[in-house]
């Protein structure tokens, strides 16, 4: 099975101005640098796709020495998404939904740099039908996990199921909980992090806690085990913002072990990516109304870390 699509995705370009660039109109300068037409660049500028931190630039801005422009540039057209015979760990499946245990390192849907080997590629091979609400790039995808977060996900096979599941997530009647291994000793047994999240002004690929603006984000956490320099916690999401658990735990001063984006320290454990696993998912079946709960066991890399912690090998 394969899909054709003309939907664009985005990539980030950072361009630094040199002395010989000074005084040029920004639209002309960037059009030459990125090898696009001036009219296309003006359109990107009008859409607010060129910025530095919180400042958004206009076409007639005159380039200055030291300017660094971040451009959200549409990626070349993706012509097709192919089905691929990639093994899937299916926990549950019927005519409406598929519940899978995503492996760490697997991208959920095609994006710049990851057009193959994704969960969507695997699902297109596994299923005859997937909902089309999220377009052909993300068929069936109701919610997502970061590439290096493992664990349980639900996928919709038809639009009715997709609408029901999306509403449950939006209304917080679908429950999700995660297991994380963090650096540091969390003193409180339980807690709630309520801190707004927005895109980092200095690094558009990261999220950060902000005092003004941003989107409301709430995470409940519960300490499961303490090891002095490390803590195992269960996190429950009340909202579903990008990188929410990673950002919130880092904000508290307890970054996730192995997190390359928010805790780029030497990893003393054998894990590639953050020690975060989507363990439990509970929802109401969109057709039958039955309340269902599923659990995905911890991946081997996290099990080994916990064994080492319990044996004092750190």
């Amino acid at each position: 099975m394969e899909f054709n699509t003309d939907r664009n995705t985005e990539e980030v370009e950072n361009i630094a101005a040199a002395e010989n660039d000074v005084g040029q109109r920004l639209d002309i300068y960037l059009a030459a640098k990125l090898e696009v037409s001036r009219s296309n660049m003006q359109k990107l500028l009008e859409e607010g796709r060129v910025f530095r931190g919180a400042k958004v630039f206009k076409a007639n801005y005159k380039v200055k020495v030291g300017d660094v422009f971040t451009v959200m540039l549409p990626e070349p057209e993706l012509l097709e998404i192919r089905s691929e015979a990639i093994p899937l760990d299916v926990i549950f499946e019927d005519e409406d939904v598929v519940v899978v245990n995503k492996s760490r390192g697997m991208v959920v849907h095609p994006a710049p740099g990851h057009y193959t080997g994704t969960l969507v590629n695997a699902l297109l091979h596994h299923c005859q039908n997937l909902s089309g609400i999220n377009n052909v790039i993300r068929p069936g995808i109701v919610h997502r996990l970061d590439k290096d977060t493992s664990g349980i996900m639900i996928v919709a096979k038809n639009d009715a199921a997709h609408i029901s599941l999306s509403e449950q997530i939006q209304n917080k009647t679908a429950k999700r909980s995660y297991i994380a291994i963090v650096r540091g000793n969390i003193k409180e047994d339980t807690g709630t992090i309520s801190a707004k999240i927005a895109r980092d002004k200095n690094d558009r690929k990261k999220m950060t806690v902000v005092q003004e603006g941003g989107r409301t984000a709430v995470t409940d956490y519960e300490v499961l085990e303490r090891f002095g320099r490390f803590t195992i916690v269960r996190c429950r999401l009340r909202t579903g913002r990008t990188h929410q658990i990673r950002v919130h735990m880092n904000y508290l001063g307890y970054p996730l072990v192995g997190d390359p984006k928010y805790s780029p320290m030497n990893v003393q454990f054998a894990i590639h990516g953050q020690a975060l696993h989507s363990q439990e998912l509970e929802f109401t079946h969109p057709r039958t109304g039955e309340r269902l709960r599923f659990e995905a066991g911890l991946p081997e890399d996290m099990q080994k870390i916990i064994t080492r912690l319990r044996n004092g090998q750190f």
Side-chain angles (χ1 to χ4, degrees):
M1 184 188 301
E2 63 185 44
F3 284 93
N4 291 325
T5 177
D6 60 1
R7 183 177 176 87
N8 289 333
T9 51
E10 297 176 338
E11 63 175 345
V12 178
E13 292 281 355
N14 292 303
I15 300 173
E19 286 188 4
N20 59 351
D21 301 322
V22 172
Q24 294 187 55
R25 273 180 59 108
L26 185 58
D27 55 347
I28 297 174
Y29 167 69
L30 290 178
K33 285 287 185 182
L34 297 172
E35 299 181 348
V36 300
S37 70
R38 184 178 176 185
S39 61
N40 283 343
M41 180 50 60
Q42 288 174 340
K43 184 173 186 295
L44 296 179
L45 286 156
E46 289 172 2
E47 293 173 350
R49 291 174 174 266
V50 181
F51 47 83
R52 181 182 64 224
K55 179 178 175 61
V56 176
F57 292 93
K58 295 184 178 181
N60 62 357
Y61 174 81
K62 297 300 177 64
V63 176
K64 299 181 177 62
V65 174
D67 279 342
V68 179
F69 305 100
T70 298
V71 184
M72 298 293 286
L73 188 66
E75 185 73 358
E77 182 179 300
L78 178 62
L79 296 178
E80 60 185 11
I81 302 173
R82 297 182 179 275
S83 66
E84 296 179 52
I86 301 170
L88 282 176
D89 183 0
V90 177
I91 298 174
F92 172 83
E93 181 175 7
D94 65 9
E95 61 185 321
D96 298 298
V97 300
V98 185
V99 179
V100 300
N101 181 15
K102 186 187 84 68
S103 60
R104 193 182 319 285
M106 175 179 270
V107 175
V108 170
H109 57 75
H114 298 283
Y115 292 137
T116 61
T118 73
L119 178 63
V120 163
N121 295 114
L123 286 167
L124 290 175
H125 183 270
H126 178 80
C127 301
Q128 291 298 313
N129 297 297
L130 292 169
S131 76
I133 287 178
N134 262 359
N135 69 60
V136 293
I137 291 232
R138 297 186 291 273
I141 302 301
V142 179
H143 65 108
R144 59 181 295 275
L145 294 176
D146 296 332
K147 170 178 176 280
D148 291 325
T149 298
S150 60
I152 200 164
M153 285 185 61
I154 188 168
V155 177
K157 283 188 167 184
N158 53 63
D159 290 357
H162 196 131
I163 291 169
S164 172
L165 294 168
S166 296
E167 289 177 348
Q168 290 182 53
I169 291 174
Q170 182 71 26
N171 297 332
K172 304 178 180 60
T173 56
K175 308 295 183 182
R176 292 170 286 169
S177 71
Y178 296 70
I179 299 296
I181 305 172
V182 303
R183 298 179 183 271
N185 185 15
I186 302 177
K187 296 180 181 179
E188 299 81 8
D189 290 338
T190 61
T192 297
I193 311 165
S194 181
K196 292 183 177 180
I197 291 176
R199 199 162 292 280
D200 193 309
K201 295 178 181 179
N202 299 314
D203 185 345
R204 305 297 291 187
K205 294 182 179 181
K206 293 175 65 175
M207 308 301 288
T208 188
V209 168
V210 295
Q211 300 304 314
E212 297 181 359
R215 304 181 70 187
T216 299
V218 183
T219 306
D220 296 319
Y221 67 88
E222 171 191 2
V223 170
L224 300 180
E225 294 185 70
R226 294 183 177 90
F227 301 96
R229 290 162 48 202
F230 300 94
T231 305
I232 302 174
V233 293
R234 175 179 287 116
C235 296
R236 291 185 171 89
L237 295 178
R238 295 198 207 174
T239 55
R241 309 306 179 205
T242 301
H243 300 172
Q244 180 171 318
I245 292 173
R246 300 164 67 187
V247 172
H248 271 176
M249 296 311 297
N250 187 55
Y251 172 68
L252 279 192
Y254 307 108
L256 271 63
V257 166
D259 193 328
K261 193 177 293 291
Y262 298 100
S263 180
M265 308 175 188
N266 291 331
V267 179
Q268 60 204 100
F269 304 107
I271 188 169
H272 299 286
Q274 60 274 1
L276 182 63
H277 178 70
S278 175
Q279 185 186 44
E280 297 177 358
L281 175 67
E282 184 179 329
F283 63 94
T284 299
H285 192 280
R287 184 185 299 269
T288 68
E290 181 184 1
R291 193 69 179 172
L292 301 175
R293 178 186 173 278
F294 299 99
E295 181 173 329
L298 286 176
E300 185 177 357
D301 53 10
M302 287 182 66
Q303 290 181 31
K304 287 182 176 179
I305 292 174
I306 292 173
T307 297
R308 284 186 58 184
L309 291 173
R310 288 171 177 167
N311 291 333
Q313 299 173 348
F314 59 91

